[in-house]
Amino acid sequence: MAQTRFSAGRRDILRILGSGAAASALPFGIGLAGAADKLVVGVIYVGPRDDFGYNQAQAQAVAALKKMPGVKVVEEEKVPETVAVQKTMEAMINQDKATLIFATSFGYFDPHVLKMAEKYPNVRFAHCGGLWTAGKHPKNVGSFFGYIDECQYLDGIAAASASKSKKLGFIAAKPIPQVLRNINAFLLGARSVDPKATVKVIFTGDWSLPVKEAEAANSLIDQGVDVLTCHVDSPKVIVETAERRGVYSCGYHASQAKLAPKGYLTGAEWDWQTPYTQIVKATLDGKPMVNFLRGGLKDGFVKPSPFGPAVSAEAKKKSEAVKAAMLKGDFPIFKGPLLDNTGKTVIAAGKVLGQQDPLLESMNYLVDGVIGQV
Amino acid sequence: MDAAMNRAMRAVAPLAPFTAAALAAALLFAAFLAAQGFEAPEALGLVVEGAFGSAFAWQNTLARAAPLMLTALCVALPARAGLVIIGGEGALALGALAAAMVPSLTAGWPALPVQLLMALAGFVAGGAWIAASAWLRHVRGINETISSLLLSYIGIALFNFLVEGVLRDPASLNKPSTPPLPDAVLIGPLPGLEVHWGLVWGVLACAAAWFLLRRTVFGFSVAVVGGNPRAALMAGLPVGALLIAACFLGGGAAGVAGMLEVAAVHGSANASLLAGYGYAGILVSFAARHNPLGIVAGAILVGGIGASGSLLQRRLDLPDAAVLVLQGALFVALLAFETLNRKGARRV
Amino acid sequence: MSETTDGLAFGSLVLALLGGALRVSTPFLFVSLGECITEKSGRINLGLEGTLVLGAMGGYGVSLLTGSPWLGVLAAGLCGVLMGLLHGGLCSLPKVNDIAVGIALMLFGTGLAFFLGKPLIQPQAPMLPSVELGAWSDNEQVRSALRINLLLPVGLALAGLLHWAFRASRWGLALRLVGDNAAAARALGYPVVPIRIGATAAGGFLAGVGGAFLSLYYPGSWNEGLSSGQGLMAVALVIFARWSPLRCALAALLFGAAGALGPALQSQGITAGYYLFNAAPYVLTLALMAASWTPGQTLAGAPGELSFTQR
């Protein structure tokens, strides 16, 4: 995380409170609206709401919020990660009387959300993807995110089972930890089916570049890849290109099954409804702001897409077995001995990194079997 | 009495095309929205309210206008020399990067020299990048519009490459950035306002540019080069040097805009500062007919319309693109109504 | 997949570049040919970026509505004509600067396209069909590289046609005269303003078609990131090609090939510095210009009435 202007001491991410949902120790009073007034929730998207991907997944959760009694939602989309988002937050607070803001893009956190949180201590700011740290960040800010790499692992199982060439492809925007974690989980899932499976990765450079994504997809398929997945804002182009070329695809963010009726195997979807309703309920009930919210399959933060027609019964069985273990909290994905693709040991033998382990939030390697460089 | 009236009318006359254009654009926009089933009058009201209707609105507008004043100069100054430069975005990016790297080289220095050095670094980096276009034009005859565009894309690629690569702060995990600036070096808000000092820098830069272009020998020489290059050559003016200088100054302005984004808004250099200010600046400059004083007004106008977009989305459920349509309509109208202006317009 | 593909890494790269040239070049080809016509008449239209995006949206929408992608292409062309007429009309008013109008229309066209295109992001419209030029090969990569759309040969043929027309046909010569020396054209009785507006409209038509290619074939989807300056680059390519339709076609192919370099290298495992590889088309264009242009020669071939050339 970039250093914020609020820390006095040394940054140390290992000081993060560990368990799944850590609430701040001190209850603190927020200016709750009276019983007759509705809670006004502001939601800010960095892209269009119906992008078949990241923003759409958020919007789907917001749709559920709108149905909650006593809640009113104001939304704004395509807000860039600049001064504009600060002004948008302020406008929602001042003009619409919002007391809970969902800032759904990673880049909003530092400095924008933090600045506004300092200025409006009675408003709650829930940020998606950030790394809230006790002592460093204000108590009226919380960050939530999901361990979608668990679903990527399941995708890997389906992908390696369906693939004939055992060459899988991953199109990603940038080599940041959240993306690398997905790529690595995908490979590890694939290798649990076939230890010789490989994942070729192409980085496009930005979150939404349809022409580059199409080129990357075609490039990979030309190289013999027959299952594609991705981590970009809108997987639409990649899934459609895969379908047109007759290869399989695994979706991301939301379900793209409609776009690839034949080749869609499964996908890694967010279920933002869970953290969203949790945060809103806490606000409605006057409970303290939830500062650090993380969850995986077990907590209902993420979910796999239903299987497509091309997934074999055997693959389904394997996947369901792993999913059952994950639901019990019994399936760590990242455990030693684990080598990265330059031969270095990144997780020592015998060591197991649980999903909440902060080391995973700063992942900077691609595991052995992934073809590409960070 | 009559003479005074005449003078007053002559003073106001240049505003006539603008007012006519604003009305025409508003009507067009309203008709467009009505045809889509939206509440047109309410939308227009929200545009005014969101841009200028309250102290908050004004601050929102001014905050957005600040970088545009500088990036518009990146078009206006070369335009005076007869060059059409559209590469401000790249100059902004490289200026930002250069500025962001200064604190790590000047650790322990007091704040003010570091800030000045950052501004200088931004100025030089941005200036050099645009000056390269002028140089290519001068020695190889390459059209500066394309070269500035190509250089802009190349500059942005370089920016991303460096920010995510060697200049990356390892702690900036999911948002690759350069190391954050020390608190002391950050540029804060104007006293009592929510707008950073960049606004003042922008206004001052425009005033300085106006003075430079209209009241100095240099400005006059640049204008001659822009108006009639052959005459300039015959008069013995150093055409190449003037072209390069005009572009260096313009690019420098964009570079300083980048530095301000780093020091006043983001605290480090990262991809979030590539927000299209360079391109918006092109619009502002052309709309202001490359007059630096007009640029201040133009930036405020564009910033204002952008600021109102938020309100239009939240109150009327209008898509964010509504603001683009309005800005486009306004500038199309402005250009169309230029014909009403009696004084001869410059070619560029 | 076949083992030979792995072994022939270089051949694979060449094929990828060829495929890129054939796939990615088409929008550049159409927009630059359209702009070529416009600039030959003495007008510069920087608004083709907005026209391209509007055409992409319009084409996608009509294809969705009618079920026929070719009707979509036609509709996209018509959107382009409208934008062209607007540009031409505005520029024919006295004292209006055509570069400024272009930039304003770029914004207006893009805004209009995004606004009206909101409901088009989710649904899938019928796509333009492919022509399998590589059916003779059983190498998947060869087949995919040679899989083109009819618009590409149409565009290339158009380049040839324009090349001939500008030299030998009455219309072409009239157009060039209008663009070179409006006074002389007027003296000969040619209606300068209508010809210019017509040329701009024709340019708009082609740009719209280029946009339809993007949304109805490759990448074959409508969303707001579809064009990242392609229209603007294509206008630049015209100047790079020094106003010759054949050179425009070559430039477009070159540009398309260079654009495929980044992903192709990455899929071969070379991922370091992908930003720089993705900037290859721009570097290449700049380098070629720096190498081949000289001060005296640059504007040879430039239409005399073009505002660029009036220094």
Side-chain angles (χ1 to χ4, degrees), chain A residues 189-259:
Chain A
R191 283 214 157 167
S192 75
V193 168
D194 182 345
K196 295 238 184 48
T198 58
V199 172
K200 257 195 184 152
V201 75
I202 290 190
F203 293 109
T204 61
D206 208 351
W207 297 100
S208 184
L209 292 173
V211 178
K212 272 277 162 328
E213 290 161 18
E215 267 307 298
N218 277 302
S219 251
L220 286 170
I221 298 172
D222 285 345
Q223 293 290 317
V225 162
D226 60 1
V227 185
L228 281 181
T229 189
C230 62
H231 187 151
V232 295
D233 270 358
S234 174
K236 186 179 185 214
V237 167
I238 294 167
V239 172
E240 286 182 333
T241 307
E243 187 74 349
R244 261 176 242 150
R245 292 283 305 263
V247 301
Y248 301 117
S249 52
C250 291
Y252 190 60
H253 291 311
S255 174
Q256 290 92 25
K258 269 195 299 191
L259 300 173

Side-chain angles (χ1 to χ4, degrees), chain A residues 1 5 76-77 81 96, chain B residues 171 186 272 310 313-315:
Chain A
M1 270 311 298
R5 295 196 274 283
E76 199 178 319
E77 54 177 19
E81 297 168 352
D96 299 326
Chain B
L186 296 170
S272 298
S310 171
Q313 274 200 57
R314 284 178 292 121
R315 292 292 155 76

Side-chain angles (χ1 to χ4, degrees), chain A residues 16-29:
Chain A
I16 298 168
L17 299 172
S19 53
S24 63
L26 302 160
F28 84 123

Side-chain angles (χ1 to χ4, degrees), chain A residues 42-107:
Chain A
V43 184
I44 308 174
Y45 306 91
V46 73
R49 262 171 301 197
D50 48 3
D51 60 356
F52 246 116
Y54 182 76
N55 294 292
Q56 186 166 316
Q58 305 275 354
Q60 281 166 351
V62 173
L65 283 188
K66 287 183 187 163
K67 296 206 189 92
M68 287 174 79
V71 173
K72 176 168 178 270
V73 178
V74 286
E75 297 166 277
E76 199 178 319
E77 54 177 19
K78 288 197 83 174
V79 182
E81 297 168 352
T82 62
V83 134
V85 71
Q86 290 182 25
K87 297 300 177 190
T88 292
M89 287 191 267
E90 281 201 89
M92 287 178 168
I93 294 169
N94 291 318
Q95 292 166 351
D96 299 326
K97 307 282 176 281
T99 48
L100 171 60
I101 306 261
F102 280 95
T104 63
S105 175
F106 191 88

